[in-house]
Amino acid sequence: MSSERERCNSRHFTWIMKTCFPNPHQTTTICPQPYHPTTTLPITTTTITSLPDDVVLECLCRVPPSSLPSLSLVCRRWARLLHSSHFSDLRRRRSLLHHSVFAVVATDSGFCAASLTDGAWKIALFHPCYDAVALDDFHFLLAHARLASIGPRIFVIGRNAMVRYDTWTSTLSPRSAMNFPRKKFASAVVSGKIYVAGGGSRSTAVEEYDPDSDTWSVVSYAQRRRYGCIGVSVDGLFFIIGGLRIGAAGEGNEFSRATGGADAHAAYASSMDLFDVEARTWLRSRTVPGGGCVVAACAAAGNVYVLTSHAVELSFWKFDARRKSSNHGGGGGFGDWCRIKSPPFPVQVRVDTRMRFSCIGLGDKVVLIQVNGWCVDEMMRSGRSVREGMVLIYDCGSGEWRRGADLPDLFRRAAYVGVEC
């Protein structure tokens, strides 16, 4: 985009702000030609504030992305429209959305965020957390938090609390906590609302968060209890993938410790449950091929991408999650699973409790972040863990991987999310 299109100076904003409010001193009348004393017609000045929302949205969606943060400060109505799902949907249809990966971490000094932009990690915010949330509380909040983004806003969802980070205004604000405490749960955004499931032993409730009213509500109950599951969304569906299936025979020590010993029986779940958000119905579950442990998942370009592990072997799978038009809203007609090119790690990676991956969908790209873990070659030499901080990017169109900018040391224990605005 040219620099001229990106330019938006204070004079332009002064005019924009004036047009938001009618002029109380406007008394102009116009006399059409030919003039006749009985045909003088008063003219009411038309301002932006008198236009309907859909017309204003059409105007705002054409503004250069660099000017959107400033426009959100013009008035409350514009802020509401710019943060609405309608604005994001409109820009998405016009291919105007910009995608970034954000990393969020709690340091000894405060809250810190970085974004992967133009091939490099850049510090986006440092906040001492004095007014939004205490630093010790924020460390606890991020320990097992899930991140969800709606437009330019990132919601950090913890076990007993939630914080909203606005990437446009660089501000933090506390939000309402979930009704049921959860740990290592699934979360995803569908049609501008956040959905969570799993991660608890007391209830199978699926909760919905409305950012406009800052409220959580139970919308359904899951078919099975899961712990350590992953959530993604495609085509109006909330996918709950992998984790430990609670209640089956097997090892459940981690879940037992997390829940105080309740329901220790568990087994790895190589499946995904599908919840239709609009219809409030559950579709037939799908089995993840290969029978391995799901270690990461995301959605991109209408597909669900899943990374599975078999000890030292990683496999990468794609599921066509776009529903067929004849079955839309019904039992669900989908494409097939397809094994695709595995991520090109330079050495074999042993997946265990010290290993963690994050998988983020960004438009037609998948960003895979290896946070830490065991490299088999190094382990055989020294027995020590190696933190890679590696970032790999998969192009959904070409089917090829490429190396991205490695994580800075500070963000190797962060939480990650994709942001589009």
Side-chain angles (χ1 to χ4, degrees), residues 230-342:
I230 303 169
V232 305
S233 68
V234 180
D235 196 15
L237 297 179
F238 176 29
F239 291 79
I240 307 166
I241 309 171
L244 295 173
R245 186 176 65 252
I246 308 305
E251 297 296 330
N253 294 333
E254 185 180 4
F255 180 81
S256 179
R257 290 193 297 269
T259 58
D263 242 333
H265 299 294
Y268 284 110
S270 297
S271 64
M272 58 186 186
D273 294 329
L274 289 67
F275 179 61
D276 188 319
V277 167
E278 183 178 357
R280 296 289 195 256
T281 58
W282 292 90
L283 307 185
R284 180 173 62 86
S285 299
R286 264 62 179 182
T287 300
V288 179
C293 171
V294 176
V295 296
C298 71
N303 300 309
V304 173
Y305 291 88
V306 176
L307 183 69
T308 63
S309 168
H310 300 266
V312 296
E313 179 186 0
L314 292 172
S315 57
F316 197 47
W317 299 85
K318 178 179 72 173
F319 176 72
D320 187 349
R322 291 164 292 196
R323 292 182 282 185
K324 309 303 180 184
S325 58
S326 59
N327 293 321
H328 202 289
F334 300 93
D336 299 321
W337 284 99
C338 176
R339 183 165 183 172
I340 53 182
K341 189 174 182 179
S342 297

Side-chain angles (χ1 to χ4, degrees), residues 180 182 196-198 202-207 218-222 282:
F180 298 93
R182 303 171 190 266
V196 299
R202 297 182 179 181
S203 174
T204 61
V206 177
E207 295 186 63
V218 175
V219 294
S220 185
Y221 291 89
W282 292 90

Side-chain angles (χ1 to χ4, degrees), residues 98-104 114-116 121 146-149 154 187 230-233 295-301 303-307 316 356-371 390-396 401 405 407 411 414-420:
H98 286 213
H99 299 87
S100 301
V101 176
F102 271 78
V104 177
S115 64
L116 181 58
W121 289 94
R146 300 298 197 199
L147 268 57
S149 67
I154 297 174
S187 68
I230 303 169
V232 305
S233 68
V295 296
C298 71
N303 300 309
V304 173
Y305 291 88
V306 176
L307 183 69
F316 197 47
R356 185 162 64 91
F357 287 96
S358 284
C359 199
I360 302 106
L362 289 179
D364 61 350
K365 303 291 191 298
V366 172
V367 179
L368 180 64
I369 301 176
Q370 180 195 347
V371 182
M390 183 184 298
V391 176
L392 297 172
I393 301 174
Y394 177 79
D395 189 307
C396 303
W401 290 92
L407 280 170
F411 294 96
Y416 312 93
V417 68
V419 175
E420 55 178 23

Side-chain angles (χ1 to χ4, degrees), residues 104-107 110-112 129 133-143 156 163 172:
V104 177
V105 69
T107 70
F111 170 90
C112 194
C129 299
V133 61
L135 183 58
D136 290 342
D137 293 338
F138 200 83
H139 274 284
F140 179 77
L141 172 66
L142 270 176
V156 184
V163 170
L172 288 172

Side-chain angles (χ1 to χ4, degrees), residues 49-68:
T49 190
S50 65
L51 298 176
D53 284 354
D54 58 342
V55 177
V56 176
L57 284 171
E58 285 286 348
C59 297
L60 294 177
C61 80
R62 290 169 168 78
V63 175
S66 61
S67 300
L68 293 177

